[in-house]
Amino acid sequence: MRPLRLSLSAFGPFAEQELIDFSLLGRNPLFLLNGPTGAGKTTLLDAICFALYGKTTGDEREGAQMRCDLAEPSRLTEVSFEFELGQQRYRIRRVPEQARLKKSGDGYTQQKPEAQLVEIDSNGEESILVASKVSEASSEIERLTGLDADQFRQVMVLPQGKFRQLLMADSKEREKIFSQLFQTHIYRRIEDSLKVQADEIKAAVLEQKNIRTGILHSANLQEGQALEDELADLAPAVSQALRAKQQAEQAYQQASQALDSAKVVQADFTELSKLKQQLSELDKQQKQVELQQQQLQAAKAAQTLKPRDDLKIQRFDEAKQASILQTQCESDLHQARQNLASLEQQYALLPEKEQQVNGVRQQLSLLQSYKPLLEKVAQLREQVSAAQQKLNAQSEQGQQLKQQMQALQQQKTQLNQQQIQLAEQAETQADKQKKLSELEQVLGLAQELAALKQQQEQDQQALIASAEQGKQLAERYQATQLQANQMQLAWHQGQAALMAQRLNVGEACPVCGSVNHPQLAHSSQAIPSEQELEQARNAEQAARDKLGQARQDYKVLKDKQQERSQQQQLLVSRLAEQASLSPSQLSEQLEQAKLALQQAQQAQQQVKQVQQQLDALAQQEQDALQSIEKARELYQSQRSQLDLLQGQFEQAKQQLPPQYGELALLQQEIDLQASQLEHLEKTIKQTQQDYALCREQVSAKQSAFDAAKQSLKLAQQALSQAQASFKQQLDDSCFASEIAYNEALMDEVDMNELQRHIDDYATRVTKLKVQAEQVELKLKGKEEPDLAVLEQALEQTKGERERAELQWNSANNRLSNLQNIQQKLQQAELFDQRLQQQYQVIGTLADVANGRTGNKISLQRFVLSVLLDDVLLQASERLQMMSKGRYQLLRKEQRAKGNKASGLELEVEDSYTSKVRSVATLSGGESFMAALAMALGLSDVVQAYAGGLSWIRCLLMKDLVASIKSL
């Protein structure tokens, strides 16, 4: 990475916009930032770090605190940084959170933080990578550089007083930094992958062991030898149980066959008894069947007489129908003769009715002659009425026009008064606009003041909490310091006591050289170890660091509170008398002012609207005067026409009879006479038609009566012949009387049913006799068996068979289960052997890669140690030059105590003493030179492996002069 341009605006001590063009330095790898204290050297590095990550180099000041107090309120605090990474160019712009002037109106508003990142190609064209989101810009920078903010500050920038931290970093912290710089995460993934594979194999081995144990426990076995022993014992037992099972099965089959045979014989005896019982029941039905046979023979004899009997019944019905028809025809003839007599009387009155028809026709003709004259009278009456209505309507229209004229004049007066009032209200618009602007500015200041008060309350609470925390940390530091001092004293006393124990009488003391030892040192308490002493000192140092950080946090909060108090006083002075009002009260006044201004603006618009209405009313008033004049002329014309129509109506009305003065009365009388005429004509015509029709009906009825009388005579003769023929055949039959014939008579269905019943009876008797003879023949020489004894014997053999089968199943299932378990154990053993073979390779690699062997160094740390050796080789060349050949940096190869990470600690070789010692023993100036050499060597190695971090050198030279002066 190489810086190209840095632009600052209202940032730190720079009140205006400043541009630093690093491209003017060319490709020089080193350059110096020099200047007096407070000149802004650190600010430039803070600006670069802030542009990239949104944080300063020391992380002691936030971006919002970097605004210059001397900058103009209209100038926005922002930083733009253009840099080169490999062959690519980028520019990032970042704006911190700050208060800025409103774009419209007075007052301030809160500017939210934002960041933009763009990529610039070789042609100068830009493509946006991040539009405005701060978090996305920081993440993209971390992806491009491979470093987060903390790692960037520790490796790329060394602020004042931070040199020893780079040099004194432990293996764990140095491993994190180097893994980011050299991208050695692949070795960590190899370590993790091997560890996961080894753990999976170990878990599989343990799982296989548990499976084998579970398999044995499922068979209630403790070990494999017990399985082999039980399998050897079970084989003969299973064979013996199988033979016993087969013998029991054979005995059961024999008993079952004997029982089945006995059941067959018993079923035959039961069948024979059942057949005999059925034959006995059929013998009881024999007499009834003989009676049915006699009944059937009588029915067959009756069937021979039935045709003559049916003919007799048919002739009787025909004679009866002929008698009924004669009676009906005689009644119809009598009724027709009565109707004819009545019509003859009406027919004699027809001449009189024809005279009435002529008179009605003459009256109807006279009435119809009045109709045209009456229609003319009605037409004139309607015209007079219409003319009167038009005259009335014209009079009402005149009155309405006069009322409209009065309403227009009244409305005109009201609009003139309203126009005067609205004009007065519209004149106050400018004053109200000014008052609204002032209130908006005051409200913005009041809201800012309320926010400052709320922030100040939060700062006060945080200050109290910080003070309380500082008090607790101070007490904790004193306690840890006292404990460390006591442990140090106990350690020294213990060392003196141990030395005193080794002294012999007459020997010189290695401390003072005296041979006399009047009072030997002794220790009454346990002697702490060096590790415990070191832990106590580390705890003291940690407590001291926390206390220092808490004091720094308290100072920052205090400064922030004072700054906000000054801002609050400034806002109170700007608000003056209105500072006592709350934002809600000011908002209410602002809403009232907006409403008043809106009313004034509406009044201005309404003045124009009222003037337009007045102009429209003047035109309407002129139109109304013209309409009134036209209505007066039309009224006089309608009055003259009405007088003329009334004279014509009276003249026509005198020509009509008084009773027909209305067309409706005349038409009612005409309809009445027409209806009467029509009724008389219909009556005459109907009487003539009815008289002719009735004479025809009398003639037809007489003919029908004569024919019915002849048909009755013929039917009675046929009935007498049929009765004589049936009586002759009945006398010749076997029936004593007609009653006996009717009793024997049956229809064909009943005869067939009776014949089927008799045939079924005979068939059943024959069938049962044959079956009984066959069963008796089959049972000849046999006795009825005792089924209870045979069933008892079968149940006994069945129980013996079930017990034998249960014993065989138990032994055989146990044998099969054990054989299956034996097979599973063999498969598990083979799988376990394969796992052991895999673990010999994977497990060994995992132990070596994860540092679980003798030197306790993991694969990634081993690779980093090689890289660190390269860095120290380059750094030592520079350090020897700086220290005039005295110092050389080395990597500590001795393993740390316990489980502490090791392999990346640093030592320094002092050529003056020819000893290797810890870098912690270097003085302040020596530490600075060692850290500087370390950073430059790191830059060389990183460039050699990956390239792209060439600007590390120029940043590390910051405060070089100040640091040398402090030596």
Side-chain angles (χ1 to χ4, degrees):
M1 179 185 290
R2 189 168 69 92
L4 299 178
R5 291 178 184 83
L6 177 66
S7 175
L8 304 87
S9 176
F11 190 85
F14 304 104
E16 303 294 333
Q17 184 169 0
E18 301 291 340
L19 177 64
I20 297 92
D21 191 352
F22 292 99
S23 62
L24 299 177
L25 300 175
R27 292 283 178 175
N28 294 323
L30 296 175
F31 59 87
L32 176 65
L33 293 178
N34 188 24
T37 302
K41 302 184 296 299
T42 303
T43 302
L44 297 181
L45 301 183
D46 285 340
I48 293 175
C49 191
F50 173 75
L52 292 172
Y53 297 98
K55 298 180 181 179
T56 58
T57 55
D59 201 20
E60 297 173 352
R61 292 176 293 178
E62 299 179 356
Q65 297 175 327
M66 296 303 297
R67 177 170 176 81
C68 180
D69 294 334
L70 301 177
E72 292 293 333
S74 60
R75 182 174 295 278
L76 196 67
T77 299
E78 60 178 316
V79 177
S80 178
F81 178 50
E82 184 176 341
F83 58 93
E84 186 178 89
L85 189 61
Q87 300 298 324
Q88 301 294 327
R89 291 173 60 196
Y90 301 92
R91 184 176 67 252
I92 184 168
R93 172 182 173 271
R94 198 179 288 266
V95 177
E97 184 178 6
Q98 56 189 292
R100 63 169 176 82
L101 289 175
K102 292 183 177 179
K103 294 181 179 179
S104 59
D106 297 333
Y108 289 84
T109 184
Q110 197 69 13
Q111 169 70 40
K112 294 184 179 179
E114 60 182 42
Q116 296 90 27
L117 178 63
V118 299
E119 182 179 359
I120 307 173
D121 60 12
S122 58
N123 298 326
E125 296 183 359
E126 300 180 354
S127 58
I128 298 177
L129 301 180
V130 177
S132 63
K133 199 168 184 180
V134 174
S135 58
E136 292 181 0
S138 300
S139 300
E140 187 66 17
I141 289 295
E142 291 180 5
R143 186 188 68 82
L144 292 173
T145 61
L147 298 173
D148 59 19
D150 295 333
Q151 294 168 347
F152 179 84
R153 288 193 294 245
Q154 189 167 6
V155 177
M156 313 298 280
V157 180
L158 292 179
Q160 301 180 35
K162 302 294 183 180
F163 300 106
R164 289 181 63 86
Q165 291 186 9
L166 175 64
L167 197 64
M168 298 298 295
D170 58 10
S171 292
K172 188 175 182 180
E173 185 64 28
R174 191 170 283 113
E175 179 180 2
K176 184 188 300 184
I177 297 171
F178 273 47
S179 63
Q180 288 286 346
L181 290 175
F182 294 102
Q183 295 297 313
T184 59
H185 302 294
I186 184 174
Y187 302 105
R188 169 61 68 184
R189 291 196 292 270
I190 293 174
E191 295 173 13
D192 296 339
S193 177
L194 289 172
K195 184 176 183 300
V196 170
Q197 293 182 43
D199 291 342
E200 289 177 352
I201 295 174
K202 289 172 67 176
V205 171
L206 180 60
E207 183 180 1
Q208 287 300 315
K209 182 179 179 181
N210 294 333
I211 289 174
R212 290 196 302 272
T213 303
I215 291 172
L216 290 172
H217 287 173
S218 66
N220 296 322
L221 298 173
Q222 300 299 325
E223 55 185 10
Q225 185 60 41
L227 174 64
E228 299 295 335
D229 295 341
E230 188 171 354
L231 281 172
D233 295 338
L234 273 177
V238 171
S239 300
Q240 184 179 357
L242 180 59
R243 289 193 297 271
K245 174 193 170 188
Q246 292 173 350
Q247 292 174 0
E249 181 65 28
Q250 185 177 4
Y252 175 76
Q253 294 296 334
Q254 292 174 356
S256 179
Q257 291 175 1
L259 179 60
D260 292 341
S261 300
K263 286 183 177 179
V264 172
V265 174
Q266 181 64 39
D268 290 340
F269 277 101
T270 303
E271 181 66 20
L272 180 59
S273 176
K274 185 177 179 181
L275 290 172
K276 290 180 178 179
Q277 184 178 0
Q278 291 177 357
L279 284 171
S280 176
E281 291 177 355
L282 289 175
D283 289 341
K284 295 177 181 178
Q285 299 176 8
Q286 173 130 17
K287 292 182 178 181
Q288 183 179 359
V289 171
E290 291 176 352
L291 291 175
Q292 290 177 351
Q293 289 178 342
Q294 294 175 4
Q295 183 180 1
L296 180 61
Q297 292 174 358
K300 290 179 179 180
Q303 286 296 321
T304 59
L305 296 176
K306 192 171 185 304
R308 299 293 178 88
D309 188 20
D310 292 340
L311 180 60
K312 180 191 69 172
I313 293 172
Q314 180 181 358
R315 298 305 182 206
F316 177 77
D317 292 338
E318 292 175 353
K320 184 177 180 181
Q321 292 296 329
S323 178
I324 294 172
L325 180 61
Q326 179 186 358
T327 303
Q328 182 66 36
C329 289
E330 185 179 2
S331 176
D332 293 342
L333 178 60
H334 178 69
Q335 182 65 37
R337 288 174 176 172
Q338 289 181 349
N339 293 337
L340 181 60
S342 176
L343 288 173
E344 287 177 347
Q345 294 177 0
Q346 296 178 7
Y347 188 76
L349 298 176
L350 286 180
E352 183 179 351
K353 289 184 179 295
E354 289 177 352
Q355 293 178 358
Q356 293 178 358
V357 167
N358 293 329
V360 170
R361 280 188 182 137
Q362 293 175 0
Q363 182 64 23
L364 182 60
S365 177
L366 179 62
L367 291 174
Q368 287 177 345
S369 65
Y370 293 151
K371 191 172 182 180
L373 183 61
L374 190 58
E375 288 177 353
K376 181 178 179 181
V377 171
Q379 183 178 4
L380 289 172
R381 183 185 291 112
E382 291 177 358
Q383 290 177 356
V384 169
S385 177
Q388 184 65 44
Q389 291 177 358
K390 288 182 180 180
L391 187 64
N392 295 336
Q394 196 64 39
S395 176
E396 291 177 0
Q397 183 180 3
Q399 295 295 328
Q400 290 176 359
L401 288 174
K402 290 180 181 179
Q403 293 175 359
Q404 290 178 2
M405 187 65 181
Q406 294 174 358
L408 287 173
Q409 292 175 352
Q410 184 179 1
Q411 186 177 3
K412 184 177 179 181
T413 303
Q414 293 176 354
L415 286 175
N416 286 327
Q417 295 176 357
Q418 184 179 1
Q419 186 179 27
I420 295 172
Q421 295 174 356
L422 290 174
E424 294 175 355
Q425 188 176 0
E427 290 176 357
T428 63
Q429 181 177 354
D431 297 336
K432 291 179 180 179
Q433 179 67 47
K434 182 179 179 181
K435 183 178 180 181
L436 178 62
S437 300
E438 292 175 353
L439 284 175
E440 286 178 346
Q441 183 177 4
V442 170
L443 179 59
L445 294 174
Q447 290 176 344
E448 188 175 356
L449 178 61
L452 279 174
K453 288 181 179 179
Q454 185 177 1
Q455 291 175 356
Q456 194 171 15
E457 291 176 359
Q458 295 176 355
D459 292 344
Q460 183 64 28
Q461 294 176 358
L463 194 64
I464 295 172
S466 179
E468 182 63 26
Q469 182 182 10
K471 182 178 179 182
Q472 294 176 359
L473 291 174
E475 294 175 354
R476 188 179 302 169
Y477 169 65
Q478 292 175 1
T480 55
Q481 185 182 34
L482 177 61
Q483 183 180 1
N485 293 336
Q486 291 176 351
M487 189 172 291
Q488 182 74 41
L489 179 62
W491 186 82
H492 286 300
Q493 291 176 352
Q495 297 299 320
L498 291 175
M499 187 180 295
Q501 291 177 2
R502 299 191 187 98
L503 289 177
N504 295 322
V505 179
E507 292 182 357
C509 177
V511 178
C512 63
S514 175
V515 295
N516 295 321
H517 315 297
Q519 187 176 359
L520 295 175
H522 67 278
S523 177
S524 60
Q525 55 185 349
I527 302 174
S529 63
E530 292 183 4
Q531 184 177 2
E532 292 175 343
L533 181 60
E534 183 179 0
Q535 291 177 353
R537 286 302 180 190
N538 291 338
E540 178 187 4
Q541 181 63 35
R544 185 188 297 112
D545 294 341
K546 291 182 179 178
L547 179 59
Q549 183 65 38
R551 289 172 176 172
Q552 183 65 29
D553 294 342
Y554 181 81
K555 183 176 180 303
V556 171
L557 290 173
K558 192 70 175 176
D559 294 342
K560 186 186 296 185
Q561 187 182 34
Q562 292 177 357
E563 180 182 355
R564 287 178 176 163
S565 296
Q566 294 174 359
Q567 294 178 359
Q568 181 177 352
Q569 292 175 1
L570 177 61
L571 291 174
V572 169
S573 63
R574 293 179 64 182
L575 287 172
E577 297 178 354
Q578 294 175 329
S580 59
L581 298 178
S582 64
S584 60
Q585 293 173 334
L586 291 173
S587 297
E588 185 176 354
Q589 293 182 4
L590 180 62
E591 292 298 327
Q592 293 176 356
K594 287 181 179 179
L595 180 61
L597 177 60
Q598 185 178 4
Q599 291 175 351
Q601 293 173 345
Q602 292 176 354
Q604 181 68 29
Q605 296 176 356
Q606 290 175 357
V607 167
K608 298 179 181 178
Q609 296 175 358
V610 169
Q611 183 60 44
Q612 294 175 357
Q613 293 177 3
L614 285 172
D615 295 341
L617 285 176
Q619 183 62 36
Q620 292 177 8
E621 186 177 7
Q622 184 66 28
D623 295 342
L625 289 173
Q626 295 177 0
S627 299
I628 291 173
E629 186 63 28
K630 290 180 180 179
R632 185 180 294 108
E633 294 176 357
L634 186 59
Y635 179 80
Q636 295 297 332
S637 175
Q638 292 291 339
R639 184 67 187 176
S640 300
Q641 186 178 0
L642 176 61
D643 294 340
L644 178 61
L645 290 173
Q646 284 180 343
Q648 294 176 355
F649 172 73
E650 292 296 333
Q651 184 180 0
K653 189 176 179 181
Q654 292 176 0
Q655 298 177 5
L656 289 173
Q659 65 271 23
Y660 301 131
E662 297 292 337
L663 180 61
L665 296 176
L666 177 62
Q667 185 63 43
Q668 183 178 2
E669 185 64 23
I670 291 173
D671 293 340
L672 179 61
Q673 294 296 327
S675 176
Q676 186 178 0
L677 176 62
E678 182 180 3
H679 176 69
L680 288 173
E681 290 177 344
K682 285 182 178 180
T683 301
I684 294 171
K685 184 177 180 181
Q686 186 66 38
T687 301
Q688 293 173 347
Q689 292 176 353
D690 291 344
Y691 178 72
L693 180 60
C694 187
R695 291 183 63 183
E696 292 176 357
Q697 288 178 352
V698 169
S699 176
K701 295 296 183 181
Q702 183 63 48
S703 300
F705 174 73
D706 295 339
K709 188 174 181 181
Q710 182 64 28
S711 297
L712 176 60
K713 182 178 180 181
L714 294 175
Q716 288 175 349
Q717 292 176 358
L719 175 60
S720 299
Q721 293 175 0
Q723 288 176 343
S725 176
F726 173 73
K727 187 174 185 306
Q728 180 64 37
Q729 191 174 3
L730 181 63
D731 294 340
D732 295 339
S733 68
C734 61
F735 296 105
S737 63
E738 187 175 353
I739 296 174
Y741 159 76
N742 290 329
E743 291 177 353
L745 190 62
M746 295 176 64
D747 58 18
E748 187 175 358
V749 176
D750 293 339
M751 289 175 62
N752 292 335
E753 180 65 23
L754 187 60
Q755 182 64 49
R756 186 189 62 78
H757 186 267
I758 294 171
D759 294 343
D760 288 345
Y761 174 80
T763 302
R764 290 173 61 193
V765 170
T766 303
K767 182 178 178 182
L768 290 174
K769 286 180 178 180
V770 172
Q771 290 177 350
E773 290 174 356
Q774 291 176 351
V775 174
E776 287 176 348
L777 181 62
K778 184 178 180 181
L779 294 175
K780 187 176 182 181
K782 294 182 180 180
E783 295 181 356
E784 190 171 356
D786 190 353
L787 294 180
V789 175
L790 293 174
E791 289 175 352
Q792 185 177 2
L794 180 63
E795 288 296 327
Q796 184 177 357
T797 57
K798 182 180 179 181
E800 293 174 355
R801 184 191 68 167
E802 290 176 351
R803 286 191 293 273
E805 187 173 3
L806 181 62
Q807 292 177 0
W808 177 81
N809 285 335
S810 177
N812 187 58
N813 290 338
R814 180 64 175 174
L815 178 62
S816 300
N817 188 23
L818 293 179
Q819 290 175 346
N820 187 26
I821 288 173
Q822 186 181 35
Q823 184 179 1
K824 290 181 179 179
L825 289 175
Q826 292 173 355
Q827 295 175 355
E829 185 65 27
L830 292 175
F831 186 66
D832 185 64
Q833 292 176 2
R834 289 197 297 271
L835 290 176
Q836 293 293 345
Q837 293 173 359
Q838 292 178 7
Y839 189 74
Q840 288 179 359
V841 179
I842 302 299
T844 303
L845 290 175
D847 290 340
V848 173
N850 286 276
R852 291 198 289 263
T853 55
N855 56 6
K856 302 294 183 182
I857 296 179
S858 65
L859 176 60
Q860 178 177 251
R861 194 167 295 165
F862 172 76
V863 174
L864 292 176
S865 66
V866 175
L867 296 171
L868 180 58
D869 289 339
D870 293 342
V871 172
L872 295 179
L873 184 62
Q874 298 293 328
S876 295
E877 292 180 2
R878 290 176 170 81
L879 182 58
Q880 286 180 343
M881 293 174 60
M882 296 177 188
S883 63
K884 299 180 179 180
R886 179 177 181 180
Y887 293 115
Q888 179 178 338
L889 292 173
L890 302 175
R891 181 174 61 85
K892 185 178 180 181
E893 298 182 359
Q894 191 176 13
R895 189 167 69 87
K897 296 180 181 180
N899 294 325
K900 185 177 180 182
S902 61
L904 299 179
E905 290 89 352
L906 299 182
E907 293 180 329
V908 63
E909 182 180 6
D910 190 349
S911 61
Y912 288 3
T913 62
S914 299
K915 293 183 178 181
V916 178
R917 51 192 173 93
S918 173
V919 293
T921 61
L922 295 174
S923 65
E926 293 170 342
S927 298
F928 171 74
M929 290 189 296
L932 181 59
M934 179 79 175
L936 294 175
L938 179 62
S939 174
D940 291 341
V941 175
V942 169
Q943 290 181 76
Y945 277 94
L949 290 174
S950 60
W951 69 296
I952 187 172
R953 303 181 180 185
C954 66
L955 294 183
L956 287 173
M957 294 299 294
K958 171 254 184 199
D959 286 324
L960 175 61
V961 176
S963 299
I964 293 175
K965 289 181 179 179
S966 65
L967 299 180

